């Protein structure tokens, strides 16, 4: 099969092949059971840790892979997502939880928290969303009040990926209600801290293998040294986190869409109707052609954004939003079409495309809905063209 030459390095090709083999041999045989029974893929994540793949995004001085390349990490996410995004989001959410520490943490904080994450000994999660603060990230109500050498946290976080399973949590809380978004701070919390508990595990449409839970803070005492950066930097840290994490969601979209295309093409070659394979029908060929073109164009955009970031670009908010928006819309479109290609069989759980279609929907919602991505892109364009004479 001819593949586009994206100029991947020898190391990136090794990562791709290693994760592709792992996904096919270890994830594919159990993905249906993980989905059906809502089993968190702990053992699979442990194996990825033993393969030194949990620290692809972490600097080498803290035990990471060393390349500190967005592209390396996105390739791994894409290959896992090609088989199961329930597993890939459990893997990728570690970076989402670790990114605030990478962005705003001190050297001491990085050594303490990033090192066990890089080795796969611990898992991380990111906690921003609340019952009344989803797209309105500046509207969080969880509070953190400094008393002596500790902050006292009170509030609830909702729909937290890896919630209850993670050991380390990057948590956004209000330290000054009078300053709006500038009164939000970011803290590192550890599972087991007094006053820190979990709500029920959510029963979801898709990504059912991943754990999604409430975080509950009831007079939770957090040491002062667990503040990332300074008070009031939380919102900035969160937005910078999204800039580097949204391409990961885009990579999930690319991988998922590719997996659905794989299934659709294989089925269309094998399914005989009116005495010939259904792939011989021009109408179906055109449908598959559109699906394949969308997948490749999404991949090209995601890889281009990764290369732009890896080249040292600082302000990638617009580009990050673009690739997240486009690739996840493609995933929803392609998985829906894959179900159509399989017809009645596509609607049955015996075939994986119905799971892929269910999984795809969340990609348009989490880490900023695709409507929010359009808002980010639009505002960036307003600013850019305002400076054009």
């Amino acid at each position: 099969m001819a593949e586009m030459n994206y100029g991947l390095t020898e190391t990136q090709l090794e990562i791709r092949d290693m994760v592709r083999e792992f996904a096919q041999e270890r994830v594919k045989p159990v993905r249906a059971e993980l989905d059906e029974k809502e089993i968190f893929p702990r053992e699979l994540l442990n194996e990825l840790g033993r393969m030194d793949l949990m620290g692809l995004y972490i600097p080498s001085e803290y035990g990471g892979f060393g390349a500190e390349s967005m592209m390396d990490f996105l390739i791994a996410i894409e290959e896992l997502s090609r088989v199961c995004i329930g597993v890939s989001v459990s893997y990728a959410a570690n970076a989402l939880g670790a990114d605030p520490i990478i962005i705003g943490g001190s050297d001491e904080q990085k050594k303490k928290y990033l090192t066990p994450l890089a080795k796969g000994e611990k898992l991380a999660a990111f906690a921003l969303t609340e019952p009344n603060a989803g797209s309105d990230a500046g509207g969080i109500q969880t509070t953190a009040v400094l008393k002596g050498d500790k902050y006292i946290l009170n509030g609830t976080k909702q729909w937290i990926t890896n919630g209850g399973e993670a050991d380390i949590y990057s948590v956004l809380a209000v330290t000054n209600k009078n300053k709006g978004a500038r009164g939000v701070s970011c803290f590192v919390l550890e599972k087991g801290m007094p006053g820190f508990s979990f709500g029920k595990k959510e029963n979801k449409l898709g990504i059912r293998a991943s754990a999604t839970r409430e975080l509950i803070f009831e007079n939770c005492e957090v040491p002062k040294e667990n503040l990332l950066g300074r008070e009031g930097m939380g919102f900035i840290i969160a937005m910078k986190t999204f800039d580097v994490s949204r391409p990961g969601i885009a990579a999930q979209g690319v991988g998922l869409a590719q997996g659905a295309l794989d299934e659709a093409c294989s089925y269309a070659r094998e399914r005989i109707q009116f005495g010939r394979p259904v792939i011989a029908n021009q109408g179906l060929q055109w449908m598959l052609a559109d699906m394949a073109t969308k997948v490749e164009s999404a991949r090209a955009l995601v890889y281009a954004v990764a290369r732009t970031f890896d080249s040292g670009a600082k302000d990638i908010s617009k580009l990050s939003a673009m690739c997240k928006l486009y690739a996840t819309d493609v995933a929803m479109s392609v998985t829906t079409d894959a179900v159509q290609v399989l017809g009645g069989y596509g609607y049955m759980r015996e075939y994986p495309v119905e799971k892929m279609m269910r999984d795809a929907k969340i990609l348009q919602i989490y880490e900023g809905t695709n409507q929010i991505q359009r808002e980010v892109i639009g505002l960036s364009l307003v600013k850019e063209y305002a400076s054009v004479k």
Side-chain angles (χ1 to χ4, degrees):
M1 183 187 298
E3 292 190 358
M4 192 83 83
N5 180 2
Y6 285 107
L8 300 182
T9 65
E10 185 175 335
T11 297
Q12 288 165 348
L13 291 172
E14 287 176 1
I15 291 170
R16 185 194 67 184
D17 293 345
M18 187 188 311
V19 181
R20 183 175 294 178
E21 181 180 355
F22 174 83
Q24 289 293 323
E25 294 184 0
R26 295 290 295 116
V27 181
K28 191 173 183 177
V30 298
R31 66 181 173 186
E33 182 183 13
L34 295 179
D35 176 74
E36 185 71 29
K37 298 180 180 178
E38 300 180 84
I39 301 170
F40 185 75
R42 173 74 65 174
E43 181 51 40
L44 294 174
L45 296 180
N46 289 343
E47 288 185 45
L48 288 167
R50 291 192 288 270
M51 293 164 67
D52 291 329
L53 292 169
M54 295 298 281
L56 286 178
Y57 56 92
I58 294 176
S60 56
E61 57 264 40
Y62 306 113
F65 189 72
E68 299 166 47
S69 162
M70 179 183 283
M71 179 69 88
D72 292 0
F73 190 45
L74 297 193
I75 289 169
I77 293 173
E78 179 186 341
E79 290 301 329
L80 286 175
S81 303
R82 191 169 179 172
V83 173
C84 179
I85 72 164
V87 173
S88 75
V89 70
S90 304
Y91 169 74
N94 286 286
L96 182 61
D99 282 337
I101 302 172
I102 295 172
I103 293 166
S106 65
D107 183 60
E108 186 178 345
Q109 288 169 329
K110 291 176 181 178
K111 286 178 180 176
K112 180 177 180 179
Y113 295 113
L114 296 181
T115 304
L117 291 176
K119 295 177 180 177
E121 296 169 353
K122 292 186 177 182
L123 300 179
F126 178 73
L128 185 152
T129 303
E130 298 181 2
N132 295 310
S135 296
D136 180 11
I140 64 173
Q141 297 174 2
T142 295
T143 59
V145 178
L146 182 60
K147 291 188 176 180
D149 60 352
K150 294 180 179 179
Y151 284 92
I152 310 300
L153 267 65
N154 281 284
T156 302
K157 296 294 180 180
Q158 188 177 43
W159 301 327
I160 305 305
T161 303
N162 283 1
E165 302 290 343
D167 309 281
I168 298 166
Y169 296 80
S170 294
V171 178
L172 279 293
V174 177
T175 46
N176 189 329
K177 293 181 180 179
N178 299 322
K179 290 188 176 181
R182 295 187 178 186
V184 175
S185 301
C186 191
F187 301 87
V188 182
L189 273 68
E190 298 177 44
K191 186 177 182 179
M193 282 182 167
F196 179 12
S197 62
F198 304 98
K200 67 180 178 68
K201 185 176 181 179
E202 301 291 351
N203 186 7
K204 306 186 294 291
L205 171 72
I207 57 166
R208 290 167 58 82
S210 74
T212 306
R213 286 189 178 87
E214 267 188 333
L215 310 187
I216 302 168
F217 310 112
E218 298 174 298
N219 293 321
C220 177
E221 296 185 356
V222 180
K224 187 177 180 180
E225 58 266 26
N226 284 36
L227 172 69
L228 292 177
R230 302 184 306 275
E231 279 196 13
M233 285 184 62
F235 192 75
I236 294 172
I237 290 173
M239 294 305 103
K240 287 184 177 180
T241 294
F242 286 143
D243 283 350
V244 296
S245 69
R246 282 172 175 159
I249 305 302
Q252 283 188 290
V254 171
L256 178 57
Q258 182 66 62
L261 177 64
D262 295 342
E263 296 291 342
C265 288
S266 295
Y267 177 87
R269 288 182 64 253
E270 297 166 2
R271 175 68 168 167
I272 306 296
Q273 291 285 277
F274 305 105
R276 61 179 185 171
V278 296
I279 202 170
N281 295 304
Q282 187 183 64
L284 194 67
Q285 288 178 13
W286 285 12
M287 191 174 181
L288 293 170
D290 285 344
M291 293 162 69
T293 303
K294 288 177 182 177
V295 173
E296 206 60 65
S297 60
R299 180 179 288 116
L301 177 57
V302 174
Y303 283 16
V305 172
R307 290 201 187 286
T308 300
F309 179 81
D310 288 342
S311 70
K314 299 301 181 185
D315 185 7
I316 64 162
S317 296
K318 181 184 74 173
L319 300 178
S320 180
M322 282 179 170
C323 71
K324 194 275 186 186
L325 162 67
Y326 184 71
T328 60
D329 278 354
V330 163
M332 193 71 249
S333 170
V334 169
T335 55
T336 301
D337 285 346
V339 171
Q340 191 71 20
V341 169
L342 270 70
Y345 289 105
Y347 205 68
M348 304 301 156
R349 293 205 169 181
E350 181 182 350
Y351 289 81
V353 290
E354 67 83 29
K355 173 188 181 299
M356 292 174 170
M357 182 178 170
R358 286 188 287 110
D359 285 346
K361 187 62 204 173
I362 191 60
L363 296 175
Q364 295 177 306
I365 298 172
Y366 63 17
E367 289 201 42
T369 66
N370 282 6
Q371 287 68 37
I372 288 294
Q373 305 312 314
R374 289 177 169 89
E375 186 84 4
V376 171
I377 297 164
L379 289 173
S380 292
L381 292 173
V382 169
K383 291 178 182 177
E384 288 172 17
Y385 284 90
S387 62
V388 175
K389 301 293 185 182

